[in-house]
Amino acid sequence: MMVELSKKSVLKACKSVLAEKMSAIQFEIENLKEAAQQETKSSMGDKYETVREIMMQEQSKLTDRLELLFNQVKILESIELKKHTKIKLGSLVETDEAFFFISVALGMKEIEKKKVFFVSPLAPLVIKMIGKSKRESFVFNGKKHTILSVD
């Protein structure tokens, strides 16, 4: 592969994904609040309380997800753009298989026409990589991977 990919653009894309997710959750929370305010107490009583309880539980779940995303943003803000020689949090790693950005678990995103996997430093694959340098290898799931570059 050996294709240049900017850590700055990868970090920016990662922050953008989180911002989109946070915006969507905030939108859902606002919709739930509006729906709860519009829900009028009916003569059925229990139905009203059940609907409001379900809305409150859903709002609580969304708030928890939003807090998780805020914590992920904090992690991203702690990442420095300086070049790494050994793999650690904030490293952009190119292997013979793919690019990995050691940051937060967000899955795969295409950046500059390259597939980049956003992975947590606690992911089993990353645990095998941590501390390694360019040209070193590691085995994961019985397959040997070679590190082509670390940034």
Side-chain angles (χ1 to χ4, degrees), residues 52-79:
R52 285 187 57 87
E53 179 61 28
I54 290 169
M55 287 181 178
M56 288 176 60
Q57 287 176 6
E58 186 62 25
Q59 187 173 343
S60 177
K61 288 178 193 175
L62 290 170
T63 302
D64 290 346
R65 284 178 43 205
L66 192 59
E67 187 172 332
L68 175 68
L69 292 173
F70 275 122
N71 290 335
Q72 290 180 323
V73 168
K74 287 179 189 175
I75 290 169
L76 292 180
E77 289 173 349
S78 74
I79 292 174

Side-chain angles (χ1 to χ4, degrees), residues 18-143:
L18 285 178
E20 288 172 19
K21 287 183 176 211
M22 291 170 71
S23 179
I25 290 173
Q26 288 169 331
F27 181 76
E28 286 183 59
I29 290 171
E30 288 304 313
N31 283 344
L32 279 173
K33 285 180 182 178
E34 286 178 25
Q37 289 173 351
Q38 292 175 0
E39 185 71 31
T40 57
K41 194 164 188 169
S42 68
S43 59
M44 295 176 78
D46 286 345
K47 178 184 175 219
Y48 168 77
E49 292 302 325
T50 302
V51 169
R52 285 187 57 87
E53 179 61 28
I54 290 169
M55 287 181 178
M56 288 176 60
Q57 287 176 6
E58 186 62 25
Q59 187 173 343
S60 177
K61 288 178 193 175
L62 290 170
T63 302
D64 290 346
R65 284 178 43 205
L66 192 59
E67 187 172 332
L68 175 68
L69 292 173
F70 275 122
N71 290 335
Q72 290 180 323
V73 168
K74 287 179 189 175
I75 290 169
L76 292 180
E77 289 173 349
S78 74
I79 292 174
E80 297 176 357
L81 290 176
K82 67 180 183 180
K83 178 131 176 85
H84 296 168
T85 55
K86 293 195 178 287
I87 298 172
K88 62 180 183 176
L89 176 68
S91 294
L92 176 60
V93 180
E94 181 183 9
T95 70
D96 49 356
E97 294 287 321
F99 285 93
F100 298 92
F101 185 50
I102 317 301
S103 55
V104 294
L106 288 178
M108 191 279 295
K109 178 146 177 79
E110 192 168 303
I111 304 166
E112 298 175 11
K113 298 182 181 176
K114 307 290 177 273
K115 290 183 180 177
V116 179
F117 293 89
F118 297 97
V119 290
S120 161
L122 302 176
L125 172 71
V126 177
I127 290 171
K128 297 281 188 178
M129 286 187 210
I130 293 290
K132 300 230 182 285
S133 302
K134 182 178 178 179
R135 294 189 201 99
E136 288 190 72
S137 298
F138 62 94
V139 176
F140 183 71
N141 284 345
K143 185 172 183 195

